[in-house]
Amino acid sequence: ASDRVNIQLISKIIEETNGKGVILVLDGYDEISDDMKKSQFMQNILKSSSLYLSECDIVITSCPVTMPELLSDLEGPGGHVEILGFKTKQIHSYIKSYFNQNGQLAAKLIEKLKTLPSVCGMCRIPVILQIVCRVQEYLGEAGLPHTMSGIYAKYIFRQLIEFIESIQSVNPLIQGVSVTDLLNLPNNVFPHFTELCEMAYKFSVNQILVLSQSDLSAALRGSAHRGSIYGLLTTESVNDLFVPGLLELYMFTHKTVQEALAAVYVAKQTPEKQWEIWKEQFGRTEMVEVWKFYCGFTKLLHFDLLKLVNSKSRQSEREKKALPPLLMISLYEADSEDLARAVFTDAMFKDITFTSSSAYETAILGYCLQFNSNIEKLEFKAKRSPIQVELALPAVLTHKNLKELTIQSLGKSDLDKFGECLEGCESSSLQTLKIGDMAAEFAIPVLLSVSKMPILTEIEYTGKKVTTTEIRKISCDQSTCDLIEKSLMESALKKFHFSIQGPSLPKLIVSVICGLLCNNNLVDCYLKSFFPDLRLPILRSFDFEENFDFGHCKLSDESCTLECSPDPDQQKTLLKALTKRQLKILDLTFLKRRNEIEVFNVAPLMGTFLSDNPSLEEISLTLKDYTEECITCCIVSILESSTQADVTFSAEYLIKCTLSSDRCTLDCNFHPELWVQLLHALKRRDLKNLVMDITCISQFNFISNESNLVQHYEEIREVWKILKCGAINLSFKDNTPKDMICAVMEGVAENDNDLNLRVTVRVTVRPSEQDSITSEGSKTVALDVNEHIKPHLSAGVADMFNWEEKMCTLKPLHIRQSLMKPYYDLFS
């Protein structure tokens, strides 16, 4: 006819224009066959690199079950995926509208759906939501089945009952017939039901949803009543482009109804035939829903589920004894406690790796864990969020044999639920808890909960990268920090690894450190932060590499390396916690926080700390960004302590000191006022060996007038007169003031002890200043003491020394006394 559409002409025009201005709608991707999906035409359509119809916009619709397969085929940045259907509010609104005369029943159904993630997820599809409402209406006050197979069994029953009620008046033989078993319907009432199920199975395998008259037998077509067959297969007349008149088409109420009837067909076969069917069809994407319905209808009685799953599993999975997801889904849908216990007893699955992308899958995990008493290790990962983690965690945290739990990639809402479950957990068999790719705030409920798990010995926590704005949203006041410290202190932890990317909460981290230090069980601790510029409190590995990243840590039972930037109050708290630890080896670094007013708590506390820790054998203390006054106060405190440990103290370019019970090596860069304090502390120690590299800088920044400077030099001379030490090695930098050098030399010359003294003057020469030095770097060389020291001393003092080119040594005491005798006689 002249008014018919010319399909060939339209196709030609589209191809010639590369589809420009055309929207191509591919409706029902899940319904086409595997051969069609893999065809060259579909590949050309889906791949953005293809030149075929490159100007055409394409819209593809599909059921969620085939979305992973579709997404793997899509290429290019132009793709956009959107899940259409009812949202939660719309679902609730529809239910209230459906039960507008019975608000109590509507509220009951809404509450029930909150506990049934698999059902609630499917209710986003309007047709399925209508089916669920019809089943609830049919059941009345009775509870809704918790699986889709249970709901669809009731729905099919309802449709068949309505069919009976509609034909009772014309067929009195079926009056009083009851429908109780979907797999054993009376043939005299439903003579074509088995044929309908067989047809549903055949077209589910081939992914066909729309049927024509030729697809149905004459008898089946003749059984249609009021436009449907048993209320499950509907008929519809449509216009066809090529055929005059109307075309009769048949469709099941919904694809899920077709899949449920296909499952009924398989379930009605002999056990041998069922095995053959599933040996071929098990695992196919388009048959997954049919398998779920089959599990629910049959409860998998007389079916070797493990044998089937193992035949489809990879060899590597069988060797690892990993629990296949399809096995878990099967047990959940079958809803048979006896079957679940039998499967897990026979299979001995000890390790489970489970990735959840929906609340339905989370519920499956929780269900299976109730019956798997053999599991010892579980790795649980969220593919997307939310997944209603609370559906599985109670079973996880109360499991009697689960020893290791790994949780990864939970979103905010799931994290909140996880935190609530952890805080409410009073006992658990968990020994190892690993948490990966988590938001920083989740650390708080984890840390608060560890003391409630009496046998938890290992924690590994890796946080996501967070911003300062996100950190500010975290509620962590002092009381929370105190509870965290107490929780860690009372826990049974032996291993604690904590990693966070982004700015942290100093008080929180210090509380964590203090709690760990006071825990005598802990032998392996690791903490890592990725924001060094913020000077966060951290622990660092004791056996770190030379170029380690800022933020590594490790704590053992006898040693600790700690680098942190605590405030003055936290310094005291940390040192107190370290004292409780009774360590033998300590590497401690304090960094002054930016824009913080310096308070010298750490300086006097350090000497007390050393005196209170006689078990310490080695200690390394480093101060960064502190002033010379604070550094001097700290080293004085150390020198005046009673410690017998080997001490190494350093403060950037200002000082480096190593101290043992009878030996001290000092490389100092102080002004005269602070040198006086240092020398007074040295004279209190009974040293046998003293090595000093003396530099005096910036003195005029601290001394207001010349009289003060002279006074400090006089004090330096007086201290050197009484300093007791067996051997002294003095090295002056060439920029040390000559007056200070003279004060030291004069004091030593008048010392009444038999000192073994050696003095040198050294200078740092750079490559450009001396041709003999290579380009490898600067070099320190000794200068001629006759030129740089001797001319500045009085004749009497110079005579007390033996002068060589590169050094001078102090003459023995008896020689110095004989040289000084004329002066004594003169003054007497």
Side-chain angles (χ1 to χ4, degrees), residues 620-639:
S620 175
L621 175 63
T622 303
L623 299 183
K624 294 184 178 180
D625 290 349
Y626 286 87
T627 61
E628 293 178 61
E629 290 95 330
C630 181
I631 292 168
T632 305
C633 185
C634 191
I635 186 61
V636 167
S637 176
I638 293 173
L639 291 172

Side-chain angles (χ1 to χ4, degrees), residues 689-758:
N689 200 319
L690 175 63
V691 178
M692 300 188 72
D693 198 344
I694 300 174
T695 307
C696 182
I697 65 167
S698 308
Q699 60 267 36
F700 298 107
N701 293 333
F702 302 93
I703 301 169
S704 58
N705 54 57
E706 187 69 20
S707 61
N708 285 340
L709 186 61
V710 173
Q711 179 183 348
H712 292 314
Y713 288 151
E714 181 62 26
E715 289 184 28
I716 290 173
R717 187 177 72 84
E718 292 299 320
V719 175
W720 278 104
K721 285 173 63 175
I722 60 176
L723 189 66
K724 293 181 180 181
C725 188
I728 303 176
N729 191 341
L730 296 180
S731 177
F732 294 101
K733 295 289 179 64
D734 65 326
N735 61 344
T736 306
K738 300 299 186 290
D739 290 341
M740 183 171 176
I741 296 177
C742 292
V744 174
M745 301 289 282
E746 289 169 1
V748 171
E750 297 180 39
N751 194 302
D752 292 335
N753 299 294
D754 196 2
L755 303 178
N756 181 5
L757 176 70
R758 174 184 174 183

